[in-house]
Amino acid sequence: MEFRRRALSKPHRSLTPAGAFPAKSGSSTRVQASDALPLPIRHTNKLFSVLFMASMYYLMCRWREKIRTGAPLHTLTLSDIPAIVGFIASLVYLISFFGIAYVQSFVSSHYDEDDFLLSSDQPAPCPLSCSKKSPLAAESLFGDDEEIVSAVVAGKIPSYVLEAKLGDCRRAAGIRREAISRLTGRGMEGLPLDGFDYSSILGQCCEMPVGYVQLPVGIAGPLLLNGKEYFVPMATTEGCLVASTNRGCKAIALSDGAVCVVLKDGMTRAPVVRFATAKRAAELKFFLEDPRNFETLEIVFNRSSRFAKLQGIKCSLAGKNLYMRFSCLTGDAMGMNMVSKGVQNVLDWLQNDFPDMDVISISGNFCSDKKPAAVNWIEGRGKSVVCEAIIKEETVRKVLKTTVPALVELNTLKNLAGSAVAGALGGFNAHASNIVTAIYIATGQDPAQNVESSHCITMMEAVNDNNDLHISVTMPSIEVGTVGGGTQLASQSACLNLLGVKGANSDSPGANSRLLATIVAGSVLAGELSLMSALAAGQLVKSHMKYNRSSKDISKALPPDS
């Protein structure tokens, strides 16, 4: 608190325009209630603590004296009254200050995830909140930007504590950027710094920022899915991708749309524990998989969140090591943190009956996260979705420029047989990961989870007397959320809002994230349809030469001083 008052009274000097970052900060200092105190907060705490101890000591001595002399306890002298007033005042202050802080920290540590599930538009935490996480951040940092940059370059100030010490996320990013430039001898002029709210990523999205990367966002659609139209945002730098997906959306819309169904919904986490013997590990496996114990395990697991709902536990044994795959509903959150907290609750509870259990890791890769794995392909992870459409023969011929027999044959030889020859795991498709990744980046999902989220098998079959095309995509591991993580950022939040799935669904928890998963699957269906048609018609190279190669003279488009 003292830092905030002094910082306001002493403006910092920043680098000139010749430096790597501008002078003014993009964020303002928030005023705290404690700033109204006449003394710094630590001095005020000490004052009331001393007053409390002194008045309590005096009153106890007076109480003992009255008992010894036989004087009535309710009689008060002039010196007793100030002592009682001081005792009550200090007691009220200390209970209010420390009591509320304790309760608030206790509640936030248990329900922080639930809070953002209920309200996704809450502002980011105060930059100084990270002072609790680092001992170095407890000290205030003063001086102009040039002095601080020099200290960072010299290693006197760690770069990662700048936000906490300065209380200004934009200024911290600029100082860090300049320090990195001096350390490496390389500039970052092409990387934008201004125009971004760095406080929105503090503590949840990215550490030690020095700027942000610009990605173009295109719109494909309308995608007619389950009777409703969606305009799908796609963040990509690959030419033809949005255009191709858009053509697939057009073909689907002209054929009465696509139908999508969520088959399963459950995020997983699989810790690995070790015992002295395989027999003992097997005993825990039988205990966890016994239906009679599920209700108890469910109660223990669900304590982690109001939205956590344990669905099942499947175990696998490797010698004396036990892998336990927990699956649970997580509301509209993608849910990795939520399921991890629930698993930790169960592990702590199991330790009472299995004290010889050695917990090796909260994640033993039987989950399996951000890695291609047969368990996700078979059992599913996140949302398991199937999407289908019947494309009319006329649309195949006029819009997709090919024929139904050619598409069916190509799908069999490429997506099915070709992928089998390659030994593909979940890769029985043309380019599902293209669409998944573009939508994930645009809507604030974890891009690394495109690995298992892109597991997809594309099926094509001639129907209606071999005139029309039935196409479907089955995707068992779409991992998405509409709250938490990158979904809170302004750009990504706008893309979610465009799809009508922004934030948590208060009427039916999880409905928004499930709808987003169906939109992802529907978009993949459109992308598969269009790319396969381009391949069948021999148009792929021609299209990429037209849309993915620029004949523009870049040097003429740049400013003269570039």
Side-chain angles (χ1 to χ4, degrees), residues 419-431:
S419 297
V421 169
L425 178 60
F428 298 90
N429 58 81
H431 70 149

Side-chain angles (χ1 to χ4, degrees), residues 158-434:
S159 174
Y160 60 84
V161 302
L162 288 175
E163 281 81 3
K165 286 194 171 187
L166 294 173
D168 186 333
C169 293
R170 162 59 183 79
R171 185 185 175 200
I175 290 174
R176 181 181 296 110
R177 178 190 179 108
E178 176 64 13
I180 294 297
S181 294
R182 296 185 187 181
L183 286 169
T184 61
R186 301 178 186 276
M188 290 183 279
E189 291 77 11
L191 185 68
L193 177 64
D194 288 315
F196 187 81
D197 181 11
Y198 292 95
S199 64
S200 67
I201 65 173
L202 182 66
Q204 67 172 351
C205 291
C206 180
E207 299 76 38
M208 295 185 286
V210 295
Y212 60 97
V213 174
Q214 297 167 307
L215 274 179
V217 177
I219 296 294
L223 171 66
L224 183 57
L225 183 67
N226 292 339
K228 294 184 178 181
E229 291 185 344
Y230 301 95
F231 289 88
V232 184
M234 302 174 66
T236 181
T237 57
E238 180 182 350
C240 291
L241 180 59
V242 178
S244 178
T245 307
N246 191 64
R247 182 173 76 147
C249 290
K250 179 180 179 181
I252 292 172
L254 291 174
S255 301
D256 301 324
V259 177
C260 199
V261 179
V262 177
L263 305 173
K264 189 189 299 184
D265 184 3
M267 181 49 62
T268 63
R269 174 60 83 199
V272 53
V273 298
R274 181 173 56 197
F275 289 88
T277 64
K279 178 178 180 296
R280 184 63 171 157
E283 290 176 4
L284 179 54
K285 169 182 166 64
F286 296 145
F287 176 84
L288 292 172
E289 294 182 344
D290 189 336
R292 294 172 296 182
N293 299 324
F294 180 78
E295 184 177 354
T296 301
L297 294 169
E298 182 182 27
I299 293 173
V300 175
F301 183 97
N302 293 352
R303 291 174 186 167
S304 61
S305 169
R306 288 167 285 174
F307 297 92
K309 304 294 180 185
L310 182 64
Q311 294 178 312
I313 308 173
K314 292 190 176 181
C315 300
S316 183
L317 210 62
K320 59 183 182 178
N321 305 303
L322 179 64
Y323 297 82
M324 303 169 281
R325 193 171 190 262
F326 291 77
S327 176
C328 85
L329 291 172
T330 56
D332 283 302
M334 186 270 288
M336 287 293 296
N337 292 334
M338 190 184 301
V339 68
S340 295
K341 290 198 295 184
V343 168
Q344 188 63 58
N345 286 348
V346 174
L347 291 176
D348 293 341
W349 182 81
L350 288 174
Q351 206 81 56
N352 296 323
D353 292 328
F354 295 87
D356 52 336
M357 179 180 70
D358 183 14
V359 178
I360 303 301
S361 173
I362 190 70
S363 175
N365 273 11
F366 186 40
C367 311
S368 175
D369 185 45
K370 300 180 178 70
K371 293 167 282 291
V375 67
N376 292 337
W377 178 242
I378 297 170
E379 297 289 342
R381 188 171 195 255
K383 279 70 176 171
S384 299
V385 181
V386 61
C387 188
E388 65 178 345
I390 296 178
I391 311 301
K392 298 176 182 177
E393 186 274 338
E394 183 181 8
T395 301
V396 173
R397 180 167 45 85
K398 291 184 177 181
V399 177
L400 302 177
K401 311 299 182 183
T402 185
T403 64
V404 172
L407 281 173
V408 173
E409 180 183 34
L410 176 62
N411 187 71
T412 300
L413 296 180
K414 170 183 167 63
N415 287 342
L416 304 183
S419 297
V421 169
L425 178 60
F428 298 90
N429 58 81
H431 70 149
S433 64
N434 248 340

